Amino acid sequence: SHPLTRVQFTDPAVLPALLAADLQSCKDVLLLPDLHLFQLVGTLELNQLRTALSQIGQAITGSPSTAFQMAQLRSGEEQWLATGMAGLDRALRGGVRTASLTEIVGPAGMGKTQLCLMLAGLAVARWAEGVVLYLDTEGSFDPARLSEMIAAPSLTEGELESMIQ
């Protein structure tokens, strides 16, 4: 994991505050829901914390690229992760694109979290050496549920669709 001491924070108060809260790595910070992180690092203001989160993200993902540069790097390398639901995969033209950010939105209770957990599990199962970054803006991520889904036997398309709907 990327140590926080290697992140170049613009605000000199950020690193000592994070270390004082016993947060040592970028992973430690990014796995916490924002509200919990804000409470844990009580000496920082919200705007300081948001800037720090952005700087941590930049530190672990590298320098930003233009869309053209990204397209050049990706040409011929695009991979898709099929959801296992034929209708959804057709609508997505093959599944969810890998090595990219995918935002899942919709009304409450529609299965967004379930779909994201399922996709994370499928990606981990397919690419054991890969990385899945799961950004949970609602604080509903449950690592135990993801472990259950990964360990569960394969589900049929009908079972998957009934879980999502």
Side-chain angles (χ1 to χ4, degrees):
S1 183
H2 196 91
L4 287 173
T5 53
R6 290 180 41 200
V7 178
Q8 294 180 1
F9 294 107
T10 54
D11 186 334
V14 171
L15 182 60
L18 294 173
L19 295 175
D22 199 29
L23 300 168
Q24 303 297 317
S25 70
C26 295
K27 181 179 177 182
D28 294 340
V29 174
L30 294 174
L31 287 178
L32 291 173
D34 287 353
L35 180 59
H36 183 73
L37 180 61
F38 184 65
Q39 292 169 338
L40 193 62
V41 186
T43 59
L44 297 178
E45 294 181 22
L46 186 57
N47 64 338
Q48 289 175 295
L49 194 55
R50 285 188 175 144
T51 300
L53 288 170
S54 175
Q55 291 168 341
I56 289 170
Q58 287 174 342
I60 62 174
T61 60
S63 60
S65 302
T66 66
F68 179 71
Q69 290 168 325
M70 291 172 62
Q72 284 182 317
L73 290 173
R74 278 203 182 146
S75 62
E77 296 179 20
E78 284 190 333
Q79 292 185 330
W80 300 87
L81 178 64
T83 66
M85 295 178 278
L88 183 57
D89 288 336
R90 270 193 309 279
L92 296 173
R93 297 186 176 145
V96 176
R97 188 181 334 183
T98 63
S100 65
L101 179 67
T102 301
E103 182 178 13
I104 309 293
V105 296
M110 294 303 294
K112 297 179 302 291
T113 300
Q114 187 72 21
L115 176 63
C116 290
L117 289 173
M118 181 188 70
L119 289 170
L122 288 171
V124 168
R126 183 169 172 187
W127 298 288
E129 299 299 318
V131 173
V132 174
L133 177 61
Y134 186 105
L135 299 175
D136 177 13
T137 61
E138 297 176 344
S140 59
F141 179 71
D142 182 3
R145 179 67 183 127
L146 179 58
S147 295
E148 287 174 10
M149 292 178 71
I150 292 171
S154 296
L155 301 173
T156 67
E157 181 177 331
E159 291 170 325
L160 286 172
E161 287 179 350
S162 71
M163 291 171 71
I164 301 297
Q165 294 175 350

